[in-house]
Amino acid sequence: MTTLVRQLTRIPGLRHLWRKFPVGSAHLRVEFDIWDYPAYAYGVYSAANLARLLGHDGISVIEFGVAGGSGLVALEQISEHLSMELGVRISAFGFDTGQGMPEPTDYRDLPYVWGPGFYRMDPDALRHRLHNAQLLLGNVGDTVKQFCATVKDPIGFVSFDLDYHSSTKSALSIFQAHACTRLPRVFCYFDDVIWPERACYSEYAGEYLAIREFNAQYEAMKLSKIPHLSWMRQHAAAWNEQMYVLHDFFHPEYCTNITPVSGRQM
Ligand SMILES: C[S@@+](CC[C@H](N)C(=O)[O-])C[C@H]1O[C@@H](n2cnc3c(N)ncnc32)[C@H](O)[C@@H]1O
């Protein structure tokens, strides 16, 4: 089946058409990137599957940086579909100031690309488009702490799309909370590591610096890019370069074996 679909999806325009008429299982559509935000679909699917294998009945998924809301609406839709198919409850949350980008702190926020007031949102209009996803408005430095104190299901997927180094660093403090607030491996998407080209990203500013500083700060937790993801996908895509995993090595479930019985070559 997969081989046939792979051959068919090599026909120019077919995947575009499939996205317009999204038939087939959610799993198959994740495999072939038949979603508006395929990176989100991959991250939520991987997290929900991990949760299922570990015996959890629910997860939380997050978008940091919501702006007009296209990403959060997509995250909510993906969560609803995958929740039904995998039998795992998936709660979606979006974090934003609600007033666009704050003031940059210094050169590390790449003020030559972004500035205060960029990406303003209309919170009321967005809330009308959402069914279950929750919007948490305010600076992530404050809202993350409140969220960690109340989160019910472990965090399984996080999209970081806050543009600034300072904002991303604040958002990453979500992993300072107790291990029970997250899965042992959390799928993470970093938006601001490719494009726009004029950003000339480097490991000395922006999201790359926030990731490097996080890894220097923690011995037992590391953010690591998923190596060679494009080779494991049916069709390679740019987002494959943006997927990381938070490894929480001392998490009580980190070493729990998740290989299905059929895959255990005894
Ligand atoms: C590029 S936009 C997000 C786009 C969105 N993810 C999408 O796919 O449509 C970046 C957003 O990050 C938000 N943001 C940046 N720094 C923030 C901070 N410190 N606290 C809360 N929100 C912040 C801005 O308000 C802005 O809406």
Side-chain angles (χ1 to χ4, degrees):
M1 169 73 167
T2 303
T3 314
L4 176 68
V5 179
R6 188 169 50 232
Q7 301 295 348
L8 284 172
T9 50
R10 286 197 177 129
I11 298 170
L14 203 128
R15 280 198 301 153
H16 180 70
L17 191 67
W18 192 1
R19 262 181 225 124
K20 276 193 166 171
F21 303 99
V23 291
S25 69
H27 167 83
L28 196 69
R29 288 167 56 210
V30 171
E31 231 185 316
F32 287 90
D33 284 357
I34 310 302
W35 298 90
D36 282 345
Y37 278 64
Y40 286 17
Y42 172 83
V44 176
Y45 180 83
S46 306
N49 207 28
L50 175 59
R52 199 173 52 87
L53 292 167
L54 291 172
H56 292 279
D57 51 15
I59 55 166
S60 301
V61 298
I62 293 171
E63 185 186 58
F64 280 117
V66 175
S70 320
L72 187 58
V73 168
L75 184 64
E76 182 186 71
Q77 282 172 1
I78 289 164
S79 301
E80 283 168 5
H81 281 92
L82 292 177
S83 176
M84 278 192 286
E85 193 160 302
L86 293 173
V88 173
R89 183 175 57 250
I90 307 176
S91 312
F93 301 88
F95 289 75
D96 203 286
T97 59
Q99 299 164 352
M101 297 294 293
E103 285 287 340
T105 306
D106 57 31
Y107 74 92
R108 292 170 295 179
D109 285 344
L110 307 173
Y112 57 89
V113 185
W114 298 291
F118 281 30
Y119 308 116
R120 280 187 188 281
M121 77 158 50
D122 179 343
D124 291 335
L126 177 55
R127 282 203 171 97
H128 274 104
R129 290 168 65 202
L130 298 171
H131 304 120
N132 301 308
Q134 287 182 47
L135 198 51
L136 294 110
L137 298 183
N139 197 297
V140 288
D142 305 317
T143 48
V144 160
K145 286 193 201 101
Q146 293 153 16
F147 175 79
C148 288
T150 55
V151 62
K152 289 199 177 70
D153 293 321
I155 299 162
F157 168 70
V158 184
S159 161
F160 293 89
D161 190 6
L162 296 160
D163 301 351
Y164 288 169
H165 161 264
S166 58
S167 304
T168 308
K169 213 171 154 71
S170 297
L172 282 169
S173 70
I174 200 158
F175 298 136
Q176 275 173 11
H178 193 276
C180 68
T181 60
R182 58 184 170 267
L183 294 180
R185 288 171 294 285
V186 180
F187 291 82
C188 297
Y189 166 81
F190 286 90
D191 190 71
D192 307 298
V193 293
I194 16 178
W195 294 306
E197 212 175 332
R198 65 182 169 281
C200 301
Y201 292 119
S202 78
E203 58 183 302
Y204 305 104
E207 286 187 347
Y208 279 120
L209 178 61
I211 294 168
R212 197 158 62 90
E213 288 173 343
F214 180 90
N215 285 340
Q217 189 179 349
Y218 297 99
E219 265 304 302
M221 278 197 297
K222 298 288 174 194
L223 278 164
S224 178
K225 192 176 149 187
I226 302 180
H228 313 297
L229 181 57
S230 60
W231 284 96
M232 298 188 268
R233 301 291 301 160
Q234 298 292 351
H235 298 278
W239 67 261
N240 305 161
E241 298 296 311
Q242 296 167 275
M243 286 307 304
Y244 285 63
V245 169
L246 178 273
H247 293 266
D248 185 358
F249 300 121
F250 290 171
H251 189 290
E253 293 172 317
Y254 192 82
C255 296
T256 303
N257 194 298
I258 54 165
T259 301
V261 175
S262 58
R264 296 179 187 185
Q265 294 165 13
M266 305 301 272

